[in-house]
C-alpha cells in the first residue's frame, strides 16, 4: 500500500509561460525522482513512477549511500551532520534537501505513489520550484515535504541546506518537541519556500 498523490497545484506565480518550441530538456526541473529510506521501496511503487513518466531517472539512497553522497558532493561537514542525527526522519529531511538542492528533480517519500500525478506534466509548467503547503504538522505554515521539486542549485534550497546544517551543528531541537524537530530540516524549515 502507498499514499497516492492525486493533486499537486503549481501556483501561477511559480509558472513560467511555455515558449513556442520549448523542448523538455529546457524545463528547469529535471525528470528525475529521488527517494531515501532505511530500506528500498517496493518495486511496484518504483515501476509505477517509471511507467507513468517515460524517461524518468530514478535514484534511491539508504543511510550508507547518503553518507558517501554527502561527503562527495557537499563535504565532511554535511556528512558528519547527517551522521549525528539520531532520528531517521530528520536524516531523510536533511538528505532530501541536500540532494534536490544539488541535483534538482522530484522527491517523493517511498510510501508515496504517483497516482494521477504526472511528473512530466508538472515539469511542463516551467516552474523552477514546486512545493505543497501543509497545515497538518503544526499551526505554523509548513511544507508537505513528502513531495517537492526544484531546479538544480535553486538558491532558496541552497540557503535552506545552509540553515539546516547550522541548526544540526548547534544541536537545535535536541531536547525539543515535534515542532522544533520539524524545524531542523523538515516541513517547518521549508516554510520560507511558500
Amino acid at each position: 500500500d502507498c499514499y497516492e498523490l492525486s493533486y499537486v497545484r503549481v501556483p501561477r506565480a511559480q509558472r513560467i509561460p511555455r515558449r513556442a518550441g520549448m523542448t523538455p530538456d529546457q524545463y528547469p526541473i529535471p525528470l528525475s525522482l529521488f527517494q531515501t529510506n532505511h530500506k528500498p521501496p517496493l518495486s511496484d511503487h518504483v515501476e509505477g513512477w517509471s511507467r507513468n513518466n517515460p524517461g524518468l531517472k530514478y535514484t534511491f539512497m539508504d543511510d550508507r549511500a547518503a553518507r558517501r553522497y554527502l561527503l562527495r558532493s557537499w563535504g565532511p561537514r554535511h556528512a558528519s551532520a547527517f551522521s549525528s542525527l539520531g532520528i531517521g526522519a530528520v536524516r531523510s529531511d536533511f538528505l532530501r534537501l541536500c540532494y534536490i538542492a544539488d541535483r534538482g528533480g522530484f522527491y517523493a517519500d517511498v510510501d508515496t505513489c504517483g497516482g494521477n500525478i504526472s511528473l512530466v506534466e508538472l515539469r511542463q509548467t516551467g516552474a523552477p520550484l514546486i512545493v505543497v503547503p501543509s497545515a497538518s504538522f503544526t499551526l505554523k505554515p509548513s511544507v508537505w515535504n513528502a513531495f517537492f521539486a526544484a531546479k538544480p542549485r535553486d538558491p532558496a534550497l541552497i540557503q535552506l541546506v545552509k540553515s539546516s546544517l547550522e541548526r544540526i551543528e548547534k544541536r537545535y531541537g535536541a531536547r525539543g518537541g515535534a515542532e522544533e524537530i520539524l524545524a531542523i530540516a523538515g516541513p517547518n524549515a521549508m516554510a520560507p519556500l511558500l
Side-chain angles (χ1 to χ4, degrees):
D1 288 335
C2 65
Y3 179 79
E4 189 171 297
L5 291 174
S6 59
Y7 180 74
V8 174
R9 184 178 65 84
V10 178
R12 288 200 187 279
Q14 292 180 10
R15 297 178 190 202
I16 297 171
R18 277 190 259 174
R19 297 186 308 262
M22 187 178 217
T23 61
D25 61 324
Q26 293 173 314
Y27 299 134
I29 298 174
L31 185 57
S32 62
L33 177 65
F34 175 68
Q35 295 187 307
T36 183
N37 198 14
H38 61 282
K39 61 181 182 178
L42 298 173
S43 61
D44 59 331
H45 292 187
V46 177
E47 289 167 9
W49 283 108
S50 297
R51 184 175 48 256
N52 295 332
N53 299 284
L56 180 71
K57 178 185 172 209
Y58 180 79
T59 302
F60 172 82
M61 286 185 198
D62 60 14
D63 284 356
R64 190 172 173 182
R67 284 184 199 90
R68 285 193 309 268
Y69 159 76
L70 289 166
L71 185 60
R72 201 173 51 249
S73 297
W74 290 89
R77 281 182 67 202
H78 291 75
S80 178
F82 176 84
S83 295
S84 76
L85 294 166
I87 301 171
V90 180
R91 282 194 305 274
S92 174
D93 289 344
F94 183 61
L95 176 62
R96 71 184 77 172
L97 270 181
C98 290
Y99 188 89
I100 298 300
D102 179 30
R103 307 272 174 93
F106 292 85
Y107 171 82
D109 278 355
V110 294
D111 61 352
T112 304
C113 300
N116 298 329
I117 300 297
S118 166
L119 303 182
V120 172
E121 289 176 11
L122 285 173
R123 288 181 71 226
Q124 290 173 353
T125 65
L129 179 67
I130 299 171
V131 294
V132 180
S134 173
S136 63
F137 295 110
T138 64
L139 296 176
K140 295 180 178 180
S142 62
V143 168
W144 186 61
N145 70 338
F147 181 84
F148 68 100
K151 68 180 182 179
R153 308 306 292 173
D154 182 83
L157 279 186
I158 296 293
Q159 182 56 47
L160 279 178
V161 169
K162 180 181 175 185
S163 300
S164 296
L165 176 64
E166 290 170 1
R167 283 191 290 276
I168 293 167
E169 289 177 337
K170 291 178 181 175
R171 310 284 299 153
Y172 181 86
R175 289 191 233 167
E179 196 161 316
E180 282 188 354
I181 291 169
L182 295 171
I184 295 171
N188 293 1
M190 293 178 71
L193 299 177
L194 296 174

